[in-house]
Amino acid sequence: MHAICSDRRCTIAIKLSYLLPFIICSPTFLVFEILETRVVENGTVATLYHLGLSTIARVNHELLYMIHLWTYAVIIKLLPCLILTVVTISLINALSEASERKAKRLPTQQQMARIRNMKLKKRMDRTSRIMIAVLLLFLATEFPQGILGLLSGILGRGFFRTCYNLFGELMDMLALLNASLNFVFYCCMSKQFRVAFGQLFKTQPSIMFKPSNILETFV
């Protein structure tokens, strides 16, 4: 774990998390554009603006539009769900193994050692529950969007207009809820996260986070 979670790799991962979404989502700016529709209402002409396919997306049997749907469904939605699930399970297993190793090093004959062992187990259980809650909230938000996007790519624009658009606002609200609750979960899960966040509002230098100590931060 120490070899994987190095400072250099953590820095690269943070930079990629800013760069890759921009690259992957950039085709969206080519696929859609703001369209105008003029309607007559009460004797006056009104201009309505709405989102529609761009001229580039309509050529070649809407090839760019279909590529965008598949990229959106598989790479932006379903693949992160799979990666987060694997990472969460791996972290929970690593936490469990670390807890067992630490418990074995404690002399179980002493009353104080047994109490420390029970507290350690409770902290690990709490961390595991919070991590599972983060995972389930993410899956509840992103997985349905990925499935609907995948079906839109398979069944065509008819399914996108009649089904996907009906749940668009609901899925956007779920995405906002997921983003807002994640911060609360992280504060509950990691003492070092709380300490580092508190240092942002203080004048003294903040405590640097070391990725190599990731297992020790979940308390």
Side-chain angles (χ1 to χ4, degrees), residues 91-167:
L91 278 176
I92 291 176
N93 290 335
L95 287 172
S96 178
E97 292 175 0
S99 177
E100 292 177 359
R101 288 195 302 267
K102 189 171 290 187
K104 290 179 180 179
R105 291 197 298 266
L106 296 176
T108 56
Q109 295 82 5
Q110 300 179 9
Q111 181 69 19
M112 186 62 67
R114 289 198 297 268
I115 295 176
R116 289 177 57 191
N117 191 12
M118 291 177 59
K119 290 183 178 180
L120 176 63
K121 188 176 184 303
K122 288 182 179 179
R123 289 200 299 267
M124 295 299 181
D125 291 341
R126 183 188 62 181
T127 299
S128 298
R129 288 194 296 267
I130 295 177
M131 292 177 65
I132 292 174
V134 171
L135 173 62
L136 293 179
L137 181 61
F138 184 85
L139 293 179
T141 303
E142 303 296 332
F143 190 74
Q145 297 184 47
I147 294 298
L148 289 177
L150 191 62
L151 292 176
S152 299
I154 296 174
L155 302 178
R157 288 187 61 193
F159 178 85
F160 182 84
R161 288 193 299 266
T162 58
C163 186
Y164 191 96
N165 285 340
L166 295 178
F167 302 99

Side-chain angles (χ1 to χ4, degrees), residues 6-174:
S6 62
D7 292 336
R8 179 175 176 273
R9 290 180 178 179
C10 182
T11 302
I12 294 175
I14 293 174
K15 291 180 179 179
L16 288 178
S17 67
Y18 283 97
L19 180 62
L20 288 181
F22 176 78
I23 296 175
I24 296 174
C25 297
S26 58
T28 304
F29 298 99
L30 301 176
V31 173
F32 298 103
E33 65 181 11
I34 304 298
L35 304 178
E36 297 183 4
T37 301
R38 299 184 183 275
V39 297
V40 179
E41 185 176 355
N42 297 327
T44 60
V45 179
T47 303
L48 303 179
Y49 298 92
H50 60 93
L51 192 66
L53 289 183
S54 64
T55 304
I56 301 176
R58 295 177 184 273
V59 300
N60 297 325
H61 304 287
E62 300 180 351
L63 176 62
L64 182 60
Y65 170 72
M66 299 303 297
I67 293 176
H68 164 72
L69 276 181
W70 282 94
T71 302
Y72 170 83
V74 176
I75 298 180
I76 299 179
K77 297 298 180 180
L78 297 180
L79 184 60
C81 289
L82 176 62
I83 293 175
L84 184 61
T85 301
V86 173
V87 170
T88 300
I89 294 175
S90 300
L91 278 176
I92 291 176
N93 290 335
L95 287 172
S96 178
E97 292 175 0
S99 177
E100 292 177 359
R101 288 195 302 267
K102 189 171 290 187
K104 290 179 180 179
R105 291 197 298 266
L106 296 176
T108 56
Q109 295 82 5
Q110 300 179 9
Q111 181 69 19
M112 186 62 67
R114 289 198 297 268
I115 295 176
R116 289 177 57 191
N117 191 12
M118 291 177 59
K119 290 183 178 180
L120 176 63
K121 188 176 184 303
K122 288 182 179 179
R123 289 200 299 267
M124 295 299 181
D125 291 341
R126 183 188 62 181
T127 299
S128 298
R129 288 194 296 267
I130 295 177
M131 292 177 65
I132 292 174
V134 171
L135 173 62
L136 293 179
L137 181 61
F138 184 85
L139 293 179
T141 303
E142 303 296 332
F143 190 74
Q145 297 184 47
I147 294 298
L148 289 177
L150 191 62
L151 292 176
S152 299
I154 296 174
L155 302 178
R157 288 187 61 193
F159 178 85
F160 182 84
R161 288 193 299 266
T162 58
C163 186
Y164 191 96
N165 285 340
L166 295 178
F167 302 99
E169 294 184 359
L170 175 61
M171 289 186 293
D172 289 341
M173 290 298 297
L174 289 176

Side-chain angles (χ1 to χ4, degrees), residues 1 91 94-95 98 101 124 211-219:
M1 180 63 69
L91 278 176
L95 287 172
R101 288 195 302 267
M124 295 299 181
S212 59
N213 295 331
I214 186 171
L215 292 182
E216 285 77 4
T217 64
F218 297 109
V219 295

